[in-house]
Amino acid sequence: MLDRAEIGRLIPHSGPMVLLDRVVSHDDTEILCTTLSHRRASNPLRRDGRIPSVCGAEYGAQAAAVHGPLIEGREMRPGHIVLLRDLVWSQPYLSDIEGALEVRAQCILRNSSNLAYRFVLTAEKAEIISGEIGIILS
């Protein structure tokens, strides 16, 4: 398991923008993380005190960003999100969720220049947001 500080060393974000608190498990194709960052006042995704659920895509992207170095055993090249698709969310705001979020990301494409992940955020077994992320590596 990795904690927030270790995650921050593996992704291209720092400080409050590190949204994931813990890597619970991972294998060659999937990663499971947890977080309470949606409850923090310092969360940079807040607008007017709330975090729209569509911002859950960034949580999925960070899970994907952590997954790469864990399975490769080395630092990954930075990437840029170039595609979000099939986004579905069940409520308007992540910040309204009391408990921890589980962030699961599954790699569906990996080659030398592109990544694609399917992600889902859940809280107490209820799906909050899901979708796919396409990433081009720099």
Side-chain angles (χ1 to χ4, degrees):
M1 276 200 323
L2 300 179
D3 65 17
R4 188 170 180 272
E6 293 166 312
I7 292 167
R9 287 191 284 276
L10 294 176
I11 66 173
H13 298 301
S14 62
M17 196 56 202
V18 176
L19 301 176
L20 303 173
D21 292 334
R22 185 164 314 284
V23 172
V24 176
S25 65
H26 75 282
D27 61 25
D28 286 346
T29 59
E30 192 170 88
I31 187 166
L32 174 63
C33 305
T34 60
T35 190
L36 285 167
S37 68
H38 61 293
R39 304 296 303 154
R40 294 185 194 118
S42 63
N43 188 312
L45 300 178
R46 285 189 180 275
R47 295 295 175 263
D48 299 321
R50 300 179 103 177
I51 303 170
S53 286
V54 72
C55 292
E58 177 61 26
Y59 285 77
Q62 287 193 20
V66 173
H67 188 243
L70 289 176
I71 63 170
E72 295 286 332
R74 62 182 168 83
E75 192 172 311
M76 296 288 291
R77 295 187 338 244
H80 301 281
I81 297 171
V82 295
L83 173 73
L84 291 173
R85 75 176 189 187
D86 298 333
L87 293 179
V88 177
W89 56 92
S90 62
Q91 55 186 289
Y93 297 101
L94 294 178
S95 49
D96 290 348
I97 298 166
E98 293 293 325
L101 294 175
E102 286 192 347
V103 183
R104 186 176 304 272
Q106 179 183 28
C107 185
I108 54 178
L109 170 73
R110 177 179 217 79
N111 62 40
S112 62
S113 58
N114 301 292
L115 302 170
Y117 277 81
R118 178 103 181 117
F119 73 92
V120 61
L121 272 68
T122 59
E124 298 180 8
K125 309 274 187 225
E127 193 169 294
I128 307 303
I129 182 172
S130 64
E132 290 184 12
I133 301 168
I135 301 164
I136 292 181
L137 299 173
S138 300

